[in-house]
Amino acid sequence: TFDSVAESGGYEGWLQAYGGVAGIGSETYDYDGDGLANLAEYALGGDPIDYLNSGEAPCIRSAGGFIQYIYPQRSDDAGLSYSIETCTNLLMAGWAGAVPALSETNVTGSLLNYVTNSISTSEEQAYFRLDMERE
């Protein structure tokens, strides 16, 4: 499977399973047109050639004055980093790194684990996004 290739070769192995850069393009390219770049597809367990499979999406829930931001994280690639960014006004495009408190990591024993972060916010309106980068 494509995931077993990724397990042995990280992003590069996953990319090669789909034909490499010549096949699906660079990390920032969205080959299947689903709105996620190839690196995000890899990081979230998606399929870069199937626009109906963009992987597991992060979710948000309110918990006692905090926002809990829950996102999937690959269990097989220590060179992949995830960070949460926030802003209060999408028109101003002022994204900044959030300073979340790690609440827990649900280790599933499969390709994706689920990380829960608690973020304190006093803003009436806040937006969040997940950023993924390779080291």
Side-chain angles (χ1 to χ4, degrees):
T1 69
F2 292 115
D3 289 328
S4 64
V5 171
E7 287 176 25
S8 63
Y11 177 79
E12 293 301 326
W14 179 87
L15 180 65
Q16 291 308 312
Y18 290 102
V21 172
I24 62 169
S26 71
E27 320 184 333
T28 58
Y29 188 69
D30 178 11
Y31 180 82
D32 60 6
D34 64 359
L36 287 178
N38 288 331
L39 182 59
E41 295 259 13
Y42 168 74
L44 301 175
D47 184 334
I49 61 173
D50 180 358
Y51 72 93
L52 295 175
N53 180 358
S54 56
E56 297 286 327
C59 67
I60 296 173
R61 66 181 176 208
S62 177
F66 289 88
I67 300 294
Q68 286 189 325
Y69 190 91
I70 305 157
Y71 62 89
Q73 178 177 303
R74 287 189 76 99
S75 61
D76 63 350
D77 191 342
L80 189 61
S81 65
Y82 297 75
S83 61
I84 302 168
E85 297 178 330
T86 65
C87 77
T88 57
N89 184 336
L90 291 176
L91 298 176
M92 302 289 273
W95 290 99
V99 185
L102 179 65
S103 298
E104 66 180 281
T105 299
N106 179 9
V107 177
T108 65
S110 62
L111 179 66
L112 297 173
N113 293 325
Y114 294 88
V115 178
T116 301
N117 289 279
S118 292
I119 303 167
S120 178
T121 182
S122 59
E123 303 292 332
E124 285 188 34
Q125 177 173 289
Y127 300 93
F128 300 88
R129 71 179 180 187
L130 185 62
D131 185 47
M132 290 87 39
E133 293 182 12
R134 290 190 314 135
E135 297 174 2

